[in-house]
Amino acid sequence: EVQLVESGGGLVQPGGSLRLSCAASGFTFSSHELNWVRQAPGEGLEWVSYISGSGSTILYRDSVKGRFTISRDNAKNSLYLQMNSLRAEDTAVYYCARLADLPYFDSWGQGTLVAVSA
Amino acid sequence: ELVMTQSPATLSVSPGERATLSCRASQSVNGKLAWYQQKPGQAPRLLIYGASTRATGIPARFSGSGSGTEFTLTISGLQSEDFAVYYCQQYNNWPMYTFGQGTKLEIK
């Protein structure tokens, strides 16, 4: 069974940093592209960042470029999101989401809440 | 940015009846359209990909249709566990995936 378990969320002040982790199991981790998708309270879903299976291709939405860094450790079956210079508008539940061979999201973690507030 | 628009925002339907949810793309997505179900406090769950193919384990009462820019999710014989928020998502414009704003399906 595919499992994705996020951790690392919490309350942080504007301008602060957090590092999210996603621990994966039940599949060949290095063979799958992964993403972070977020959902602000009461809002819809928003793609944040993408990383290829090898980690060689990385992409971000414009609003987080230069502030967020996605990475992965295939030896540890883990995905990460380093978030710096956090803003109030980054407040959301952050989901780790796996891409199927055709690039839709076929598995999601339960999410971790990031709250940016003074 | 490719914009996805869902309608209606809220749909009230009685159990046992049929629900029809719509999703429109601002340009063709070449059939690369997925539907997700999300219940309160839970992660989204994949229902449909390729506009009409049910994901593994999804009941046959869920069906997707459409092409080009217009897509529909139909849920026949609504059951209590089907009342949730539904999102469409295009994956034609990789990796700038975009989601619709969601349709809340509520009990009438």
Side-chain angles (χ1 to χ4, degrees):
Chain A
E1 179 192 4
V2 173
Q3 283 203 318
L4 299 167
V5 180
E6 300 94 335
S7 60
L11 176 63
V12 61
Q13 292 187 338
S17 298
L18 275 177
R19 188 193 195 209
L20 306 184
S21 299
C22 172
S25 61
F27 64 99
T28 304
F29 185 75
S30 59
S31 296
H32 284 268
E33 301 156 286
L34 296 169
N35 296 259
W36 289 100
V37 178
R38 67 186 179 185
Q39 186 171 35
E43 300 295 326
L45 299 162
E46 180 178 80
W47 171 78
V48 174
S49 184
Y50 160 93
I51 188 167
S52 62
S54 66
S56 60
T57 302
I58 285 174
L59 296 158
Y60 303 97
R61 70 177 302 106
D62 286 347
S63 61
V64 307
K65 281 181 184 176
R67 300 189 298 123
F68 289 12
T69 302
I70 191 172
S71 63
R72 65 191 295 160
D73 185 336
N74 286 345
K76 295 183 177 180
N77 286 359
S78 293
L79 173 72
Y80 307 102
L81 186 68
Q82 177 67 45
M83 303 186 294
N84 299 330
S85 303
L86 282 161
R87 306 167 181 168
E89 55 265 34
D90 296 318
T91 293
V93 173
Y94 284 73
Y95 295 101
C96 166
R98 189 183 82 162
L99 284 185
D101 290 341
L102 299 173
Y104 50 84
F105 304 110
D106 67 348
S107 296
W108 299 67
Q110 86 289 349
T112 187
L113 177 62
V114 173
V116 184
S117 175
Chain B
E1 180 178 295
L2 203 162
V3 178
M4 307 299 292
T5 303
Q6 291 184 241
S7 62
T10 302
L11 182 62
S12 299
V13 183
S14 300
E17 306 217 324
R18 172 183 296 181
T20 302
L21 290 67
S22 296
C23 176
R24 172 179 292 178
S26 59
Q27 63 191 72
S28 175
V29 298
N30 296 308
K32 295 179 181 178
L33 190 285
W35 289 94
Y36 301 87
Q37 177 194 67
Q38 187 178 35
K39 297 179 179 178
Q42 296 186 17
R45 177 175 73 144
L46 176 68
L47 298 175
I48 301 283
Y49 61 91
S52 61
T53 302
R54 279 189 302 277
T56 302
I58 301 303
R61 65 180 181 273
F62 291 88
S63 63
S65 63
S67 62
T69 62
E70 302 281 345
F71 299 89
T72 300
L73 175 69
T74 301
I75 313 170
S76 303
L78 277 165
Q79 300 189 7
S80 57
E81 62 265 30
D82 299 335
F83 292 95
V85 179
Y86 291 84
Y87 294 95
C88 64
Q89 177 234 335
Q90 65 80 20
Y91 51 97
N92 184 58
N93 194 17
W94 178 95
M96 293 303 298
Y97 311 104
T98 47
F99 296 85
Q101 79 280 18
T103 291
K104 181 179 181 180
L105 179 59
E106 63 177 26
I107 300 174
K108 186 174 182 180

